[in-house]
Every structure is written in C-alpha cells, then in structure tokens.
Amino acid sequence: PVMRACCACCRGRCIVGACWFLMCPALAAVTPLRHNYYALRHGQSLANVEGVISSDPAVACNHHGLSETGLQQARRAAEAVCAEALLTGVDGVAIVSSDFKRAWQTAQAVHTAVIARGLSCVPASAVCAETLLRERSFGTLSGGPDSRYADVWVHDAVSATHTEFGSEPVTSVRERAWGVVERLEAELPGRCMVVLVAHGDVLQILQTRFACVDPRTHRSLPHLETATLRRLSLPLAAGAG
C-alpha cells in the first residue's frame, strides 16, 4: 500500500503516523471479493420510538425489538433483498445478523421472504447469528437519550481510537465488522449475496472500510436509514465484487 508522511490537515492525529486513506489495506488487494455484500440496517425499533440508546447486550438481545412500523419496513426490505438476488443471479443468499432483537427480527423477515420466493438460502435452515455485528457500545450513554450520539460522534471526527463515555473505539468496530467479511469470504460457497443485518454505527463505520476512507469520516457518508439495503463494494482498484 501507498504510505506517505502525515499530512498537515491531520495535525499529527493520524493512527500509525499516516493517513488512513493513503495506506488502506484494501488498495493492496489483488483479488476481488467473491461475494456481493450488502448492509441492511434494522427496521424502526422500540428504542428508536422511545428515543433511547440501546447498546447493552443484556438489554438489547431481549428487548427493544421492532415497532409495528419497523416490522412493515422489514418486510419491504425483505422484498428488496429478493429482487436484488434475482437481478444479480447469485448462487444463494446468506443472511448474517446481529443477535440484538431489532436486527434479528429484521433478518428473520428477510429469511422468510427468501424462502417464500424459492431462492436458495445459505444455510437453508436459519439466519446466521453474529455477535461481531452487534451495535457499537456507547458505554455510560446506553439507556440514555439518543440525542447523546452526537456527543460521541464529535470525538469520532477527531480520533478513531477514543473511548469517551466508555464508548467502543471506531477502530474496534471497523476491525470486528471487517473480520466478519473476511471469514465469510473464506467460508461461504459459490457466489452469494451476503446481507449483513446490523445497526447504524456499525454499518456506517464498515462502509469506510469498503470505501477505503478515513474511519473518522463515517458520519460524513450517506446516512443509512432504518431498513435500507445498500451495496458495499471495494474501490475498483482493489477489485470490487
């Protein structure tokens, strides 16, 4: 990968002493991704309705599922997944989801639709639960008003390794989410449509790895609305799938 001295705009805050977007590992990739990857944010949740941050697994795995509107959104997203699978002619659809209730219910709606359409699901029997796709931990802010997200994001824009409020660093989120992609590349057969059902910050941050941009800029990327399906591709120079 290309590596240069830290640019002036970074004011010495760059991780490992060089700009992320000048040394992204994706630029060194020699083979394209075998599978087609998509981000799918969960449908509207009860936490969204209540306006609270829900990032504690002890709570979110059992509570804060989809609202009635969220269930409707999930069914529409499921139809979008089926349409995309048919359009792209993949060998099968792999649905990999956070085990938080709101994401899991969204993923189940997708699985039901894929099976009903007679499409091949990988594996056929179930959604794949993936704890590495859980929502980013917001530390002491979890359970509080969702207006406090912005208090974390302002620090994200300065440092991808900060832990203000006990929040999980951006780098940690990016590494664990990308690790899921790397494992699926190795394990899934054929050429699949891989639907990663997860959460706002996790998917926004994962997009920076696919786009090969500074992870601190994740909030500057197009916002992923609830129950929205979005294709994730590496830059062409890195062999986008």
Side-chain angles (χ1 to χ4, degrees):
V2 178
M3 189 169 182
R4 303 177 192 169
C6 218
C7 63
C9 67
C10 297
R11 297 186 178 90
R13 292 192 295 263
C14 291
I15 296 168
V16 300
C19 296
W20 280 89
F21 37 76
L22 295 179
M23 57 172 293
C24 178
L27 293 179
V30 293
T31 26
L33 292 174
R34 193 155 46 90
H35 306 296
N36 297 343
Y37 291 88
Y38 295 79
L40 176 58
R41 187 180 170 195
H42 61 78
Q44 183 192 71
S45 70
L46 295 176
N48 295 142
V49 173
E50 295 168 17
V52 299
I53 296 173
S54 182
S55 68
D56 180 356
V59 175
C61 286
N62 302 296
H63 304 286
H64 293 149
L66 296 181
S67 65
E68 193 57 44
T69 294
L71 289 169
Q72 294 173 7
Q73 290 177 333
R75 287 191 285 269
R76 287 196 295 270
E79 290 305 313
V81 168
C82 292
E84 183 71 7
L86 289 168
L87 180 66
T88 54
V90 290
D91 299 322
V93 180
I95 308 161
V96 185
S97 176
S98 158
D99 60 348
F100 279 18
K101 190 172 182 178
R102 55 193 185 267
W104 190 252
Q105 289 180 320
T106 303
Q108 291 291 347
V110 174
H111 183 264
T112 298
V114 168
I115 297 300
R117 285 289 194 97
L119 298 171
S120 175
C121 205
V122 184
S125 59
V127 172
C128 298
E130 181 52 77
T131 59
L132 293 176
L133 291 179
R134 285 176 173 176
E135 177 61 294
R136 175 188 189 182
S137 173
F138 285 91
T140 59
L141 301 184
S142 191
D146 59 12
S147 58
R148 299 297 305 278
Y149 281 131
D151 295 340
V152 176
W153 294 336
V154 71
H155 290 286
D156 289 354
V158 175
S159 170
T161 59
H162 83 85
T163 57
E164 294 292 330
F165 313 106
S167 61
E168 182 182 6
V170 171
T171 50
S172 171
V173 177
R174 179 157 135 153
E175 288 165 10
R176 64 177 167 90
W178 183 252
V180 174
V181 173
E182 291 181 317
R183 178 174 58 77
L184 294 172
E185 275 295 292
E187 295 179 357
L188 290 176
R191 185 173 71 90
C192 294
M193 175 182 183
V194 182
V195 184
L196 303 173
V197 187
H199 310 270
D201 260 42
V202 173
L203 295 174
Q204 288 286 141
I205 293 169
L206 179 59
Q207 284 183 92
T208 69
R209 180 59 179 82
F210 273 93
C212 201
V213 297
D214 188 328
R216 294 173 299 183
T217 66
H218 70 92
R219 292 309 306 170
S220 69
L221 298 179
H223 181 62
L224 190 63
E225 300 290 347
T226 52
T228 298
L229 184 70
R230 179 176 295 167
R231 177 74 186 271
L232 302 172
S233 299
L234 290 174
L236 291 177

